[in-house]
């Protein structure tokens, strides 16, 4: 019995050590030639402020959240405070999750690294922004994540369809995008999470 327990523990240890290594090797060997890039030129001062999440590709951190928005503020050290604000229901209090973003040098302010919890870093690509900074399209290098932002909590359906087509032009499968309810009347409507 003791030999069985030692063998089981050894196997578990091998698995715990091997899996992270395999993930790192897979990432290193992954073909990055089709990764999304951006050529946008962003005026950071104009980009700061609140952006309502009109639509996204749902994932664990935002799935089921409503009345959500990102709030950006330039810091004295050149980094950006990034606060994600959301509700779990329209009757619930707003909740906030804070992060810090750093603009990637040489990216025309369009590529950021956002650090959550002090150690988790993700890429953020501003793909396109309206000339008046009323909407923005945000992407992720492998296209597994994407967002449509607006300064206003509601967006005209024609503009929304136009922005989805722009995302298609960046190689996104637009069928993956779902709208985020910003007002109670949107909950349960077709196309909304």
């Amino acid at each position: 019995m003791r030999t069985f327990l030692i063998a089981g523990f050894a196997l578990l240890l091998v698995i715990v050590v091997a899996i992270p290594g395999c993930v790192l090797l897979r990432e290193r060997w992954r073909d990055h030639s089709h990764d999304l890039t951006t050529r946008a030129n962003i005026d950071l001062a104009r980009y700061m402020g609140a952006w309502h999440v009109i639509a996204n590709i749902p994932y664990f951190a935002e799935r089921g959240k409503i009345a959500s928005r990102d709030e950006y503020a330039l810091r004295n050290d050149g980094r950006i405070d990034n606060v994600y604000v959301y509700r779990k229901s329209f009757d619930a209090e707003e909740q906030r999750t804070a992060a810090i973003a750093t603009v990637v040098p040489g990216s025309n302010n369009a590529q950021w690294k956002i650090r959550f919890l002090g150690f988790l870093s993700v890429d953020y690509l501003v793909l396109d922004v309206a000339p008046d900074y009323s909407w923005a399209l945000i992407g992720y290098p492998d296209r597994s994540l994407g967002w449509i932002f607006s300064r206003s909590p509601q967006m005209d359906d024609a503009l929304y369809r136009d922005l989805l087509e722009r995302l298609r032009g960046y190689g996104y499968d637009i069928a993956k995008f779902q709208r985020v309810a910003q007002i109670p009347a949107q909950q349960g409507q077709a196309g909304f999470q």
Side-chain angles (χ1 to χ4, degrees):
M1 180 68 161
R2 184 175 181 183
T3 303
F4 179 73
L5 288 174
I6 291 171
F9 179 73
L11 179 60
L12 180 62
L13 184 61
V14 167
I15 291 171
V16 167
V17 171
I19 289 176
C22 290
V23 170
L24 289 173
L25 286 175
R26 186 193 78 196
E27 182 60 25
R28 180 174 289 157
W29 291 335
R30 186 171 77 85
D31 179 8
H32 292 273
S33 63
H34 300 292
D35 278 358
L36 183 62
T37 58
T38 179
R39 291 183 298 283
N41 191 349
I42 303 302
D43 179 337
L44 277 183
R46 290 184 72 193
Y47 196 81
M48 296 299 102
W51 288 97
H52 297 273
V53 181
I54 298 301
N56 63 21
I57 296 175
Y59 71 106
F60 73 94
E62 292 186 55
R63 188 174 286 116
K65 307 295 192 306
I66 57 173
S68 59
R69 66 184 183 276
D70 270 7
E71 296 177 350
Y72 303 115
L74 284 172
R75 297 164 47 120
N76 290 335
D77 64 6
R79 296 184 297 170
I80 299 165
D81 283 326
N82 176 187
V83 178
Y84 175 64
V85 182
Y86 64 94
R87 294 175 189 269
K88 291 186 177 178
S89 75
F90 283 104
D91 297 331
E93 300 255 341
E94 283 188 340
Q95 297 185 36
R96 297 171 175 269
T97 302
I100 296 176
T102 303
V103 174
V104 174
S107 70
N108 294 322
N109 299 323
Q111 182 178 357
W112 302 3
K113 294 283 186 185
I114 301 179
R115 187 170 299 273
F116 297 91
L117 307 172
F119 68 92
L120 178 63
S121 181
V122 297
D123 290 301
Y124 176 104
L125 302 171
V126 182
L127 301 173
D128 204 351
V129 65
D132 64 357
Y133 283 68
S134 60
W135 56 259
L137 301 179
I138 311 303
Y140 188 74
D142 69 1
R143 295 175 185 81
S144 62
L145 302 172
W147 295 264
I148 296 176
F149 283 176
S150 174
R151 294 295 191 180
S152 168
Q154 295 184 65
M155 179 177 282
D156 173 86
D157 286 339
L159 176 58
Y160 178 69
R161 287 190 301 275
D162 177 57
L163 296 179
L164 283 176
E165 288 305 316
R166 287 176 187 247
L167 286 165
R168 187 193 309 271
Y170 284 102
Y172 273 96
D173 176 357
I174 63 171
K176 293 181 178 179
F177 282 84
Q178 293 184 0
R179 295 182 83 162
V180 174
Q182 291 289 340
I183 60 171
Q186 293 173 328
Q187 274 192 303
Q189 298 296 316
F192 284 83
Q193 296 180 38

